[in-house]
Amino acid sequence: MINIQALEKSFGDKKVLDRLTFSLVPGEIYGLLGPNGSGKSTTINLICNLLDVDDGAIWIDGKAPSDTTKSLIGVAPQEISLYKDLTCQENLHFFANLYGVSRKKRTENINDLIDTFQLHEHANTKVGSLSGGWQRRVNIAVAMVHAPSILILDEPTAGLDVEARYELWRVIEQLKMTGMTILLTTHYLEEAETLCSRIGILQHGRIVAEGAMDELCTLVTAQALAVLETNNKLALCQKASSLGWDYREYGGKLTLLLPQHFTLKQIVEHFDGLPLSSIDLQKIRLEHVYFEVTQDRSNSQRIIA
Amino acid sequence: MQTQISEIRTIAFRIVRELLRTRRTLIFWVVFPTLMLVLFGLIYAGSAGTTSNSFDRTTPGILIGAALFFSCLGGPIALIVAERERRTLRRLLLSPLKPISYFLGIVMAFLIIAAGQTLIVYGVSFLFGGRFRGSLFLGMLIICLSVVAYVGMGFFFGARFSKRAEDVNGPVSAFGVPLLVLGGTFFPISLLPSYLLMVAHLDPVLHMNQALRGVSAHHQGLEQIFPHLLFLALFAVAALALGIYSYRVMLVQEKKG
């Protein structure tokens, strides 16, 4: 579907993509994660033929990006990019026309999308009068109006309240069931964990970790995690080291990488005499993997030490 | 070719449809020239001998200067700024839409709007005894060339100088209004001192006014208005080229995000 090989892109002296390589297989949702400036948007712009590749290659259904491949891709941009004075249906018709969808097919596609995104009540409402959640739905529906084989969702739930976000997840899961191939970027790790078949974590323009959730979890060398709160991090870290346990500072929280499963009582016993205000035993999640592969380890350990 | 025509039509109809929904702009584009026509028609009635003569002479200038100027010059600037601000321009770039189709779609939309304004302005003029006395074909040609020239300039200002909604009125006021004054829209150019008159001959609005007034009020033919028509045609082509170039430069910037 999409195959990216050793892709390079620089803006002036700044190298944004550095031999980026990854691929999407049909029917999967591939999550592309990474901090701001890691190269996600540039990757999307290159796939969509908005920018020229410096080096490397992109193949979309076996073709290099061009004006022809634009019809193979549907992009729902991060910002709601719709004509707010037009209704949902009018926006759908407008973009279907631009993609040259025939009249019959257009009507079929639009009716299907109205069903999928449950837009029946709002089909004839001006987009500007809809709530953020409904506008997001229309934003994605418009990306699909020409029945693309690949859908790119660029932070599809950014700025939505929790309820609207979950509702949109349900819609995206429905799309997944139809076999749609989706490239999804998000800053919500829970979103990627819930929706994506595989995840690639991008940093400094290259993939630093990739795989399904269970594969990614193996990158954190622990059986379980204990998140501790203490007013004496130094003593705690020294004790952990003496026990042969590794530790990290994930998102500013001191986290022990436990070599085996322990009960809370066992952990408290190991740190007997040290000031612990709370302990939370956690399973390894994407959040931990993300910090593990993107964090500057030496810096993190320096903070603690 | 068929795809391109379909793209142009799609863009044009979307703009017109949106405009019909934003009534404030539409009302301004109708009320302002109507009021100006009635006011100036009545003001010049004394010196023109009769009200109908006055409206004959005033109507072309009002159409060019008070109607088409604000819609077809200010309109494309506002449109480009809006497309950028609401990020729809980026979405258009993601589609297979050809840049030239987008440009021509906008020209077509403003030709439709101009046709509506022409009917209204001449309709009001008719009520006061004003008439279109010359060749309809020549009249339409002058109006079409004027629209193309305005839209080309609008694209230039919109793409190069207007990034936000607040920037829309700047170019119209700073560059456009002096063109109206020098172009003899609101008062005869015979009032201009000789050195300003020389400058005025480089003003496209003057040639639009002179050509349309010649055809509409004085029943002049192609031969009599030819110098004005030629200047206008050349200017329209230049404005169109400048507009397309500015638009392409803007697209390159927009693609970089």
Side-chain angles (χ1 to χ4, degrees):
Chain A
M1 292 252 96
I2 295 184
N3 193 0
I4 292 177
Q5 287 296 325
L7 195 61
E8 303 219 354
K9 182 71 192 171
S10 299
F11 295 112
D13 292 339
K14 196 180 175 217
K15 190 166 232 180
V16 180
L17 297 181
D18 182 14
R19 298 187 64 75
L20 177 70
T21 300
F22 71 94
S23 56
L24 264 76
V25 294
E28 77 168 342
I29 301 188
Y30 186 97
L32 192 61
L33 311 183
N36 288 333
S38 58
K40 299 187 297 289
S41 299
T42 305
T43 307
I44 292 176
N45 286 345
L46 287 164
I47 293 171
C48 297
N49 197 35
L50 293 183
L51 294 173
D52 293 327
V53 170
D54 287 349
D55 204 0
I58 301 175
W59 301 105
I60 299 154
D61 274 356
K63 300 178 191 99
S66 66
D67 282 348
T68 323
T69 56
K70 282 183 173 179
S71 296
L72 300 173
I73 305 168
V75 186
Q78 188 182 333
E79 303 88 0
I80 292 161
S81 330
L82 299 166
Y83 295 99
K84 306 240 165 127
D85 287 318
L86 300 187
T87 67
C88 300
Q89 284 227 48
E90 286 167 344
N91 269 285
L92 288 164
H93 274 282
F94 172 73
F95 283 100
N97 274 333
L98 290 190
Y99 279 91
V101 182
S102 70
R103 185 179 297 223
K104 189 176 169 232
K105 189 77 188 144
R106 193 163 67 217
T107 311
E108 267 176 39
N109 287 359
I110 291 172
N111 287 340
D112 286 350
L113 288 169
I114 287 173
D115 282 344
T116 307
F117 289 88
Q118 297 181 348
L119 290 169
H120 308 89
E121 266 183 52
H122 305 291
N124 294 312
T125 307
K126 276 191 201 175
V127 168
S129 312
L130 298 175
S131 68
W134 285 102
Q135 289 191 11
R136 285 267 169 204
R137 284 179 188 228
V138 183
N139 202 39
I140 299 175
V142 162
M144 297 174 62
V145 76
H146 58 292
S149 46
I150 300 151
L151 181 63
I152 297 177
L153 301 177
D154 192 4
E155 301 194 26
T157 61
L160 289 185
D161 62 42
V162 179
E163 204 179 326
R165 178 173 305 147
Y166 289 163
E167 198 49 42
L168 207 53
W169 286 5
R170 191 193 58 72
V171 175
I172 296 170
E173 273 172 338
Q174 236 181 306
L175 296 177
K176 185 182 180 178
M177 286 194 287
T178 64
M180 172 70 81
T181 308
I182 300 174
L183 175 64
L184 179 139
T185 74
T186 180
H187 282 295
Y188 299 115
L189 299 177
E190 191 195 349
E191 183 166 296
E193 213 171 318
T194 309
L195 298 173
C196 298
S197 333
R198 284 192 311 136
I199 292 164
I201 300 175
L202 194 61
Q203 195 183 28
H204 304 311
R206 54 193 320 168
I207 297 279
V208 288
E210 187 187 51
M213 247 328 276
D214 51 349
E215 291 169 321
L216 288 174
C217 286
T218 62
L219 296 173
V220 180
T221 49
Q223 289 301 311
L225 303 171
V227 180
L228 309 178
E229 273 185 43
T230 177
N231 56 14
N232 192 348
K233 278 186 182 176
L234 181 63
L236 223 68
C237 292
Q238 282 169 344
K239 179 65 183 173
S241 294
S242 72
L243 291 166
W245 296 357
D246 216 344
Y247 55 83
R248 301 278 190 272
E249 197 162 33
Y250 289 146
K253 290 176 185 166
L254 179 61
T255 308
L256 300 177
L257 276 58
L258 304 175
Q260 62 184 85
H261 288 282
F262 290 109
T263 62
L264 277 177
K265 193 179 166 206
Q266 286 171 319
I267 293 172
V268 172
E269 280 169 5
H270 275 107
F271 290 93
D272 192 23
L274 291 173
L276 286 174
S277 35
S278 76
I279 306 177
D280 183 18
L281 283 175
Q282 292 184 357
K283 281 199 314 183
I284 299 168
R285 302 192 60 188
L286 184 58
E287 174 191 353
H288 307 117
V289 177
Y290 183 85
F291 283 124
E292 185 69 19
V293 297
T294 60
Q295 212 168 46
D296 181 349
R297 187 70 46 71
S298 57
N299 190 39
S300 145
Q301 299 222 339
R302 196 165 50 240
I303 294 164
I304 297 167
Chain B
M1 188 64 183
Q2 203 176 350
T3 313
Q4 202 151 354
I5 291 169
S6 163
E7 285 178 349
I8 293 168
R9 208 178 45 206
T10 301
I11 294 289
F13 287 173
R14 190 216 83 216
I15 294 167
V16 174
R17 180 172 282 159
E18 270 193 300
L19 187 71
L20 292 172
R21 302 262 163 87
T22 50
R23 292 207 183 90
R24 243 186 308 174
T25 310
L26 200 64
I27 288 168
F28 171 75
W29 285 352
V30 170
V31 170
F32 178 68
T34 304
L35 283 176
M36 296 300 273
L37 175 65
V38 173
L39 277 174
F40 280 96
L42 295 176
I43 288 168
Y44 288 120
S47 59
T50 63
T51 308
S52 63
N53 271 351
S54 170
F55 273 85
D56 275 357
R57 290 178 198 175
T58 314
T59 308
I62 293 297
L63 178 66
I64 295 290
L68 303 185
F69 174 82
F70 287 99
S71 60
C72 301
L73 177 68
I77 301 177
L79 187 79
I80 292 170
V81 169
E83 294 268 31
R84 279 167 127 176
E85 282 195 330
R86 60 191 174 192
R87 310 287 290 170
T88 43
L89 184 61
R90 194 163 174 74
R91 191 152 213 167
L92 295 177
L93 288 173
L94 293 167
S95 77
L97 173 71
K98 288 164 206 67
I100 190 70
S101 302
Y102 179 70
F103 189 88
L104 293 177
I106 291 177
V107 173
M108 182 176 165
F110 283 98
L111 282 171
I112 296 170
I113 292 160
Q117 286 185 305
T118 305
L119 287 176
I120 290 167
V121 169
Y122 271 95
V124 172
S125 177
F126 187 84
L127 296 177
F128 288 88
R131 296 288 180 274
F132 190 96
R133 302 191 185 275
S135 153
L136 271 180
F137 170 76
L138 270 182
M140 282 196 289
L141 181 66
I142 295 161
I143 290 169
C144 287
L145 287 174
S146 305
V147 171
V148 170
Y150 278 146
V151 173
M153 286 197 285
F155 252 88
F156 171 68
F157 288 122
R160 301 305 290 268
F161 300 112
S162 310
K163 297 234 182 313
R164 294 159 302 171
E166 306 90 87
D167 299 338
V168 172
N169 289 328
V172 177
S173 313
F175 299 100
V177 175
L179 293 180
L180 291 185
V181 174
L182 284 177
T185 299
F186 301 120
F187 53 83
I189 54 164
S190 55
L191 295 175
L192 295 177
S194 58
Y195 60 93
L196 271 185
L197 197 58
M198 279 165 61
V199 178
H201 277 100
L202 297 172
D203 177 357
V205 177
L206 175 94
H207 298 280
M208 295 173 192
N209 280 334
Q210 297 288 79
L212 191 60
R213 197 171 284 135
V215 173
S216 172
H218 306 299
H219 204 298
Q220 290 177 346
L222 180 62
E223 210 173 305
Q224 289 133 305
I225 64 154
F226 186 74
H228 299 301
L229 197 62
L230 181 66
F231 184 96
L232 181 55
L234 292 175
F235 186 85
V237 170
L240 202 61
L242 189 66
I244 292 173
Y245 171 74
S246 309
Y247 177 60
R248 284 187 184 278
V249 171
M250 185 185 77
L251 288 190
V252 172
Q253 291 165 349
E254 199 67 24
K255 280 180 179 180
K256 285 181 186 164

